[in-house]
């Protein structure tokens, strides 16, 4: 795996109409055109009038290899590929960056410039990658407009959180081009896991102390649920072993609810023989009380000592099986992320490990995340994005690695047999 390797999204020859609206992130749309073309898409670009103040049509013409349109009233353009032709040509409309103003106009069905007119005139599905100041994104008006568009079936990609061009920090950054491509590939590309069974574990585990108290952790389960959804989107048959969380089950996923680490181990082990890939994103509690009191424990005015026993390591047990699936672990660390994660990869004999930083408001119980993906032969950073966008990228990488490994192991016995034949012929 190459350091910072490029997204492997495959968009076939998808006809993408890329709309660019006015905002400082408009310059990033230039990179997106290149990456869309690398992924196989045909791209035509429309700039809003305000976008053309930040970036020039010429840049996009050079990168897309196609004329770029900026207004409805361009006689030459209307004589050639008029706006209705362009609307019919598109198989997918992507607007990146989508400004707060553009989102508001789309939500209310305006057709007061070329881009909004095209959105109304086209039957192609629409995806928006918002980018704006974090306060504008958080504003109730923007959130209501986004909810209206989502309810209409518009795919909203991002935004990511981080430092902004305006000097502020928060949600409102345009997703990286790689992430946008991965999202589009999940919607349009070939399905990478058809015929494959994927088992995902997610959420925390709870270890009971007495009938009313337990030891738990801050895991929300969101990352694991997003991974299960992403695997199902890629055509896999997915089983999700979930610790105690209140999240809806992703479409097409079979969910098995558990509570303690030992319950989780049992459910996982039951499913492993039918699984090709195991993705262990659960935050399994490392310890449980020696004894569970049958009655509520009462304080007696003195020190209370709870003796704990170590829980089984589910992931290591799966990886140690003779007939094992492709095994992916997670490492949530507060510091020395790469060092500790690599040690876990080696110690637990994993195929891949997805490492992230937790604590200080990062990782657990948040909506976005970033991942350092480690294998024996390298590492790759998956840029900060919301958990579903990140899960889609992660599942794409897992699918590629699993497929490569599965076809290499199919070739190995044939090679052995050939070598055996050659030896006996000698
Ligand atoms: N894991 C598991 N069973 C356990 C503990 C962890 O299957 N009893 C899995 C997690 O699902 C995760 C990986 O192991 O995929 C790493 O979990 P983590 O809690 O980061 O590591 P630990 O092995 O518990 O090590 P430590 O707590 O010392 O960091």
């Amino acid at each position: 795996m190459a350091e910072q390797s490029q997204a492997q999204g495959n968009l076939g020859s998808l006809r993408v109409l890329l709309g660019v609206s006015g905002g400082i992130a408009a310059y990033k749309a230039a990179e997106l055109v290149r990456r869309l073309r690398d992924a196989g898409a045909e791209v035509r670009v429309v700039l809003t009038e305000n976008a053309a103040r930040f970036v020039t049509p010429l840049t996009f013409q050079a990168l897309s290899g196609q004329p770029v349109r900026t207004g409805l009233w361009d006689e030459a353009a209307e004589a050639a590929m008029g706006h209705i032709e362009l609307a019919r040509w598109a198989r997918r409309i992507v607007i990146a960056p989508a400004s707060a103003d553009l989102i508001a106009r789309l939500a209310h069905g305006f057709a007061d410039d070329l881009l909004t007119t095209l959105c109304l005139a086209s039957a192609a599905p629409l995806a928006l990658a918002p980018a704006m100041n974090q306060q504008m994104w958080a504003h109730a008006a923007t959130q209501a407009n986004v909810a209206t568009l989502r309810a209409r079936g518009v795919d909203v990609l991002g935004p990511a959180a981080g430092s902004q061009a305006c000097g502020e920090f928060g949600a409102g950054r345009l997703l990286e081009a790689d992430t946008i491509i991965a999202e589009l590939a999940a919607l349009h590309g070939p399905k990478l896991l058809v015929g494959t069974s994927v088992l995902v574990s997610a959420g925390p585990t709870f270890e009971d102390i007495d009938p009313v108290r337990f030891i738990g952790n801050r895991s929300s389960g969101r990352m694991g649920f997003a991974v299960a959804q992403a695997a199902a989107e890629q055509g896999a048959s997915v089983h999700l072993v979930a610790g105690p969380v209140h999240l809806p089950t992703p479409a097409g996923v079979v969910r098995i609810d558990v509570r303690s680490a030992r319950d989780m181990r049992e459910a996982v082990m039951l499913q492993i023989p039918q699984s090709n890939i195991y993705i262990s994103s659960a935050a399994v509690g490392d310890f449980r009380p020696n004894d569970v009191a049958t009655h509520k424990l009462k304080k007696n005015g003195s020190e209370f000592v709870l003796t704990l026993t170590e829980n089984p390591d589910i992931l290591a047990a799966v990886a140690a099986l003779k007939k094992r699936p492709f095994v992916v672990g997670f490492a949530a660390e507060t510091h020395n992320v790469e060092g500790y994660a690599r040690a876990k990869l080696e110690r637990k004999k994993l195929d891949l490990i997805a490492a992230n930083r937790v604590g200080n408001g990062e990782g657990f119980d948040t909506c976005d995340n970033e991942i350092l993906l480690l294998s024996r032969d390298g590492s790759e950073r998956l840029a900060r994005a919301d958990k579903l966008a990140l899960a889609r990228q992660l599942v794409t990488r897992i699918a590629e690695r699993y497929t490569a490994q599965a076809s290499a192991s199919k070739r190995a016995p044939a090679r052995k047999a050939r070598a055996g034949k050659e030896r006996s012929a000698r």
Side-chain angles (χ1 to χ4, degrees), residues 201 278 280-286 311-316 328-333 344 347-348 353:
S201 70
Y278 175 50
S280 178
S281 77
V284 186
D286 287 328
N311 270 327
D313 189 318
I314 308 170
L315 183 59
V328 184
F330 271 72
E333 308 291 350
K344 280 176 195 173
R347 189 175 75 241
K348 302 197 189 195
I353 192 158

